[in-house]
Amino acid sequence: MMPKKARDGDDTAGLLAYLYGPGKRDEHVDPRMVAAWDPFVDDPARSPNMAISDLALMLDAPVYALRGAKPPKHVYHVAVRNPPEDRILSDEEWARIAAEMMHAAGIAEKGDPNACRWVAVRHADDHIHIVATRAREDGRQPDISWDVVKMQARARGFEVEFGLRQMTSGDGTARKWAKTGEQEKAERRGLAEPVRETLQRTVREAAAAATSDADFFTRLSDAGIRVQQRIAPDGNVTGYKVAMPGDRDGEQTPVWFPGARLAPDLSLPRVRERWNTPVAPPRVPPAEMWRAAEEKVRAAAAQLGAEGLHQGAGDVAALGDLIVVAAIVSPRLVRNQIKDAAYEFERASRAPGDRALEGQARTLYRESNQLLVQSIAAVGRNDAAAALGFLLALVHAIEGAQRWHDAQQHRAQAEAAGKAGRLLREAVEVTTGAAAAREYRPRPKRTSARPAAGQRKSAAPGERPMAGVVQEAVPEHAREVLADPAWPSLRARLVEVERAGEDPVDVLVKVARRRELSSAESVAEVLTWRLDGWRKQRGTAAVASVSSPSSTAGGSTGKSATPTRKAAVPAPKRRPPGDEPHKGPGRAR
């Protein structure tokens, strides 16, 4: 449950009309009043004797009764929202929440006959809006100091009482979300995401890979975004701001975002922390890059947080940068999963409080990071098999970060690390399936003899009972797999394998034996991911085989003696602006 305070306003009637109306972004369903300062106030949606304008006049009456100057912004507005996975609360439960929030905020404390007037309106299942007037009946102003903090604390109590998802009160580490106006502007312009999010990702990638101020600003410019540095009278750079070319406000002025407005760790002082202590990673041949990075990540994971709280905070920050860079250089087969993991781990990389910058784990993560950065141009980025060991080490590191956050009771950070770990595990299993497909050599197909009388015909592709395939390929896990909620997805993948002309039993045996399954939380899900990697790899190999005149007919792995023409490469999926590594929209002329 999250109470979110909107900006104070001066139009009570206009706000009520919006809350009771059809809505602009979301559909308002059955708008109604669930609570008010006076239980006998009629609801405009239910009573013919009360109009919205009448309710606004009643709320504003104490403001009009004030002697002297009226407060310029007297409308107090709070939205209280539950996550989608929470159960739907009743109107009575929301009424109690509204009254408690107004008490905690200082707007209407319990038992105070001179408290401010307020109403709570519900027009959706998952949230309410509370509208109050900042003028007490006795003519004084309410004391609303620390109102948001107090409402958040009360929300934590309701989460426990009502059995809702337990969230974390603000600790200053949350990312800066795009505002409603920014989202609407992106929709009008046909953008896949708000400009703030594109800039946030681009700046984070540049900061994670940079080694100096000059390198950082050069990477931003090369990414195609506009950059302005704030220079002090003594010539030192004290800050920066960025803008997307073509993004302007109503007065045709570029819309600038300072780094701190993008995320707490993207202000210039926090960005500079990444290279305040330089690291000198050893230079290794490109073929050894993944292995060398893997060794450093495993060593760092064993040291994470071992030197104390502040060192642990610095360690997880460096791990976050490493995942960002890994997403840039990762094989295309699993790049989307790793990009999503970097996005989820972002909150986990920002621990509350101070952080040390000289920890042993942090140094190892930074060295691994620079190994990847130095090898971007030369590394075999599409060699998923070579990156498998590194991805496994990264999963181990994220799990260590999650345990460290759990020990420090950083609930939001631990949850973010858990989500990132799941995405990395998916990338590992997809890579495992792709590696199995690369080494797969199909057995020669037997010539089908005419079935004798009474002999059962073989099932047509897609008609074979896949439960039997599982029982034959992985008998030790068959019972567990068939009872798993992920079984329908696995069955669909097996059907696809058979329709592609391959033996599903043979394929399932190959991907199951590639890595152990006993530690998997869901064997069915792991096998599904591996078959996804198998399908992607076999599809790529088939395209390469068709496009190459020198490809062999039997047992081809998709490699050819002559370079594959670009026209034969499958077109990449459409990505939002700024999603390609070290690229961005074209520079403004």
Side-chain angles (χ1 to χ4, degrees):
M1 178 180 296
M2 185 57 63
K4 182 178 180 181
K5 180 181 176 182
R7 294 181 180 178
D8 292 338
D10 58 4
D11 186 3
T12 306
L15 177 56
L16 289 175
Y18 167 75
L19 297 178
Y20 276 99
K24 294 180 180 179
R25 291 183 53 81
D26 303 313
E27 184 180 359
H28 293 179
V29 179
D30 188 20
R32 60 197 180 276
M33 183 192 301
V34 295
W37 83 98
D38 184 340
F40 298 103
V41 174
D42 289 334
D43 181 2
R46 299 288 188 268
S47 173
N49 299 321
M50 177 70 73
I52 291 176
S53 57
D54 296 332
L55 180 59
L57 287 173
M58 293 178 66
L59 286 169
D60 287 342
V63 176
Y64 296 133
L66 289 175
R67 297 180 178 179
K70 307 294 187 294
K73 301 289 185 180
H74 66 274
V75 180
Y76 186 90
H77 178 199
V78 174
V80 187
R81 186 181 299 270
N82 284 340
E85 60 268 24
D86 279 347
R87 69 177 178 86
I88 298 176
L89 302 182
S90 66
D91 284 357
E92 291 73 19
E93 288 171 321
W94 277 120
R96 184 175 162 219
I97 291 170
E100 291 287 344
M101 290 298 171
M102 291 295 92
H103 170 77
I107 291 291
E109 296 182 357
K110 296 177 182 177
D112 184 356
N114 295 316
C116 299
R117 299 183 176 186
W118 59 273
V119 295
V121 179
R122 182 181 188 182
H123 54 214
D125 288 336
D126 61 350
H127 69 279
I128 59 171
H129 291 263
I130 310 174
V131 181
T133 303
R134 288 183 55 180
R136 291 169 50 86
E137 301 282 357
D138 56 10
R140 296 187 294 115
Q141 292 290 303
D143 180 9
I144 57 172
S145 55
W146 299 98
D147 54 343
V148 175
V149 174
K150 294 174 182 177
M151 286 189 289
Q152 289 178 344
R154 190 65 192 93
R156 304 293 83 80
F158 277 121
E159 290 163 359
V160 174
E161 179 181 350
F162 291 158
L164 308 176
R165 174 186 173 187
Q166 296 186 33
M167 305 182 71
T168 303
S169 297
D171 58 9
T173 64
R175 73 190 343 247
K176 306 296 184 182
W177 298 100
K179 299 177 180 178
T180 301
E182 295 170 4
Q183 294 173 343
E184 293 175 347
K185 183 178 181 181
E187 292 176 1
R188 291 195 304 269
R189 297 179 60 192
L191 302 179
E193 64 183 357
V195 167
R196 180 193 294 268
E197 295 185 12
T198 304
L199 291 173
Q200 188 182 78
R201 182 178 57 256
T202 305
V203 173
R204 184 169 301 283
E205 290 178 355
T211 57
S212 65
D213 282 23
D215 187 21
F216 173 60
F217 290 119
T218 298
R219 289 178 183 275
L220 290 180
S221 297
D222 289 346
I225 63 176
R226 304 180 64 180
V227 185
Q228 276 192 5
Q229 301 177 23
R230 185 173 67 246
I231 302 177
D234 59 2
N236 291 324
V237 179
T238 59
Y240 73 98
K241 57 184 179 180
V242 292
M244 189 69 72
D247 184 31
R248 298 178 178 273
D249 59 18
E251 299 178 356
Q252 296 303 305
T253 302
V255 180
W256 295 98
F257 292 85
R261 281 182 54 198
L262 296 176
D265 57 341
L266 293 183
S267 65
L268 187 58
R270 291 291 302 274
V271 167
R272 281 172 169 163
E273 288 180 355
R274 293 163 165 86
W275 53 78
N276 276 346
T277 304
V279 297
R283 293 193 173 275
V284 299
E288 296 294 317
M289 187 275 298
W290 290 116
R291 183 193 58 77
E294 174 190 349
E295 292 177 354
K296 291 185 177 296
V297 171
R298 291 191 182 278
Q303 295 291 324
L304 192 149
E307 300 172 87
L309 176 61
H310 293 169
Q311 282 78 7
D315 295 344
V316 295
L319 176 57
D321 284 344
L322 175 60
I323 302 173
V324 169
V325 173
I328 298 174
V329 305
S330 60
R332 187 176 300 277
L333 187 73
V334 292
R335 195 171 302 162
N336 287 339
Q337 285 97 334
I338 302 178
K339 281 181 177 291
D340 291 342
Y343 177 87
E344 293 294 348
F345 193 82
E346 179 189 322
R347 181 73 182 272
S349 68
R350 295 190 291 266
D354 296 331
R355 69 215 139 268
L357 309 178
E358 294 81 21
Q360 181 64 23
R362 178 183 174 89
T363 300
L364 289 168
Y365 283 139
R366 290 293 296 166
E367 290 177 355
S368 179
N369 189 343
Q370 290 305 309
L371 273 175
L372 301 187
V373 171
Q374 292 172 5
S375 304
I376 284 177
V379 69
R381 292 173 59 181
N382 289 320
D383 189 356
L388 180 58
F390 172 78
L391 295 179
L392 283 167
L394 210 55
V395 169
H396 182 59
I398 290 176
E399 290 173 346
Q402 183 178 8
R403 289 192 297 271
W404 182 81
H405 280 304
D406 278 329
Q408 311 306 323
Q409 297 184 349
H410 299 158
R411 192 163 57 205
Q413 285 79 2
E415 182 180 347
K419 292 179 180 178
R422 174 180 169 79
L423 288 163
L424 256 296
R425 284 191 292 272
E426 178 181 351
V428 165
E429 301 303 344
V430 170
T431 304
T432 300
R438 287 175 58 130
E439 300 176 3
Y440 177 67
R441 297 295 183 271
R443 292 179 295 182
K445 294 183 179 180
R446 300 176 182 176
T447 57
S448 56
R450 186 173 182 178
Q455 185 178 358
R456 187 177 64 179
K457 295 182 180 180
S458 59
E463 297 178 1
R464 186 175 184 176
M466 292 304 161
V469 170
V470 173
Q471 290 168 345
E472 183 177 350
V474 284
E476 66 278 18
H477 297 290
R479 184 184 297 272
E480 176 186 354
V481 168
L482 296 177
D484 196 300
W487 160 240
S489 297
L490 175 59
R491 183 188 181 282
R493 300 302 189 281
L494 291 171
V495 170
E496 291 175 4
V497 168
E498 188 178 36
R499 286 176 176 168
E502 296 177 331
D503 184 352
V505 174
D506 196 17
V507 171
L508 193 59
V509 167
K510 291 292 189 298
V511 299
R513 291 179 179 175
R514 188 71 188 187
R515 287 186 62 241
E516 57 86 21
L517 292 168
S518 57
S519 62
E521 295 181 2
S522 169
V523 175
E525 192 170 47
V526 167
L527 291 175
T528 301
W529 289 337
R530 292 185 188 180
L531 289 178
D532 283 341
W534 175 284
R535 178 171 51 84
K536 291 178 181 178
Q537 180 62 38
R538 297 292 287 178
T540 302
V543 171
S545 176
V546 169
S547 64
S548 173
S550 60
S551 58
T552 57
S556 172
T557 62
K559 294 183 179 180
S560 59
T562 58
T564 304
R565 292 183 302 167
K566 290 185 178 180
V569 179
K573 295 181 180 179
R574 185 177 181 181
R575 293 184 173 85
D579 201 31
E580 284 75 14
H582 299 297
K583 292 182 180 180
R587 295 192 186 187
R589 296 292 181 183

